[in-house]
Amino acid sequence: MRIDIVSLFPSMFEGPFDTSMLKKAKDKALVEINIHNLRDWAEDKHKTVDDRPYGGGPGMVIRVDVVQRAISNLQLSIFNKKKSKIILLSPQGKTFDQAKARELSKLEHIILLAGHYEGFDERIHEHLVDEEISIGNYVLTGGELPAMVITDAVVRLLPGVLEEEARENESFSSGENLDYPVYTRPEDFKGWKVPDILRTGDHKKITEWRAEKANKKTELKKIS
Ligand code: SAM
């Protein structure tokens, strides 16, 4: 899979993408992640990518012509357009979830467009992208954190990135179901004890106990 992220602040990605699972996935060539500066597609000497809104109002708006050039350029080397998606990061988009992460992980290519300031010219929403994704009903300063969230959630689902077993019972791996509770040493911390069943070695009973606890957590989350 190839992920192209277009941002006005590419340096924001340096830490998160160079550690832990994402670094390993890149090192093993399971994913190629390219961070691009939108200004590279500006045409004037000041590298302008935004302008004031028509009709007045605060802030700056990202220009449709610059984004069009970025998208066309990034799509040049993509042969299978059906397995490629252009995604606009926007608080107005559909809320991201595990099902969407799974769907995106089956693609060969994604372009994530991270906005800033007042956001994107509406014609980008209307004519240039396949979908709009929000990471929740709140407004962030830019699309960089949403791009990181989506990339992380998608890459960990790619074959070979994690052990299959690690994802088997994971929260949201089937519908809304949550993972079971886990414990490690110390066995007794300030009187907070690890449940006895987990130390019996009876795998059948442990599996049943875990399923029951996972169901209970799922139910509790639904009503909270
Ligand atoms: N004026 C816009 C509005 O009210 O809908 C908000 C623009 S926001 C300050 C700037 C950029 O941050 C957006 O273009 C988008 O790329 C990103 N962004 C902010 N919140 C987001 C969220 N919850 N999910 C995805 N992207 C978000």
Side-chain angles (χ1 to χ4, degrees), residues 16-28:
F17 281 15
D18 294 324
T19 43
S20 187
M21 178 278 299
L22 282 173
K23 179 174 172 10
K24 278 193 205 145
K26 285 196 299 176
D27 289 350
K28 287 204 248 168

Side-chain angles (χ1 to χ4, degrees), residues 194-207 209-210:
V194 172
D196 291 338
I197 178 94
L198 298 177
R199 293 181 296 107
T200 59
D202 185 334
H203 293 295
K204 189 170 172 282
K205 284 218 170 96
I206 291 173
T207 305
W209 179 89
R210 284 176 165 166

Side-chain angles (χ1 to χ4, degrees), residues 3 19 60 80 85 92 99 126-127 141 152 158 165 173 177 179 187 194 197 213 217 224:
I3 303 177
T19 43
M60 300 295 274
N80 190 350
K85 255 193 182 159
Q92 301 176 17
E126 285 171 0
H127 302 291
T141 313
D152 187 299
L158 298 179
E165 213 189 349
S173 56
N177 289 354
D179 203 353
E187 203 177 297
V194 172
I197 178 94
K213 290 286 174 193
K217 277 185 153 205
S224 67

Side-chain angles (χ1 to χ4, degrees), residues 89-92 115-119 133-136 138-143 146:
L89 300 165
S90 160
Q92 301 176 17
H116 236 86
Y117 317 123
E118 280 307 304
I133 295 183
S134 161
I135 61 158
Y138 42 80
V139 178
L140 297 162
T141 313

Side-chain angles (χ1 to χ4, degrees), residues 7-9 12 60-62 114-120 141-144:
S7 156
L8 283 166
F9 297 92
M12 284 180 73
M60 300 295 274
V61 178
I62 297 179
H116 236 86
Y117 317 123
E118 280 307 304
F120 294 95
T141 313
E144 286 72 20

